[in-house]
Amino acid sequence: MVGYQTEILTFAATWAPYDGGDEHVLPTFGISLEEYYRRVLHLLDTPAARSIDPSTILRIRHRCMQRLATTTNVPRRR
């Protein structure tokens, strides 16, 4: 699991300066954007994130919170 955690965090840190990469999440990790952002948020609080610059962690956390607020507040069709 550690390799997968590192891969997700590396991906998030690589794309952090560009506020992008969403289109690559499903093909790269096989998970929805909502699940990706939940996992990244969780991983930011683990030892796996120690190698990431604190300012980058803040940027990633902010992006995750923004995206989760957008994806979880979308009304569903009936």
Side-chain angles (χ1 to χ4, degrees):
M1 182 62 107
V2 173
Y4 186 71
Q5 293 172 345
T6 303
E7 190 176 343
I8 288 178
L9 286 172
T10 300
F11 181 90
T14 299
W15 281 99
Y18 310 106
D19 285 334
D22 287 356
E23 66 275 13
H24 302 290
V25 170
L26 182 60
T28 302
F29 301 109
I31 57 176
S32 69
L33 285 176
E34 185 175 352
E35 182 61 24
Y36 166 77
Y37 284 113
R38 287 179 197 266
R39 288 184 190 189
V40 171
L41 273 178
H42 169 74
L43 291 172
L44 290 175
D45 295 325
T46 67
R50 287 185 186 152
S51 64
I52 300 174
D53 176 69
S55 64
T56 302
I57 288 178
L58 289 175
R59 180 180 283 197
I60 294 169
R61 189 179 308 279
H62 179 72
R63 170 102 170 133
C64 289
M65 298 300 287
Q66 279 184 320
R67 296 295 291 160
L68 284 171
T70 301
T71 60
T72 57
N73 290 330
V74 175
R76 298 181 184 208
R77 293 183 184 203
R78 294 183 182 197

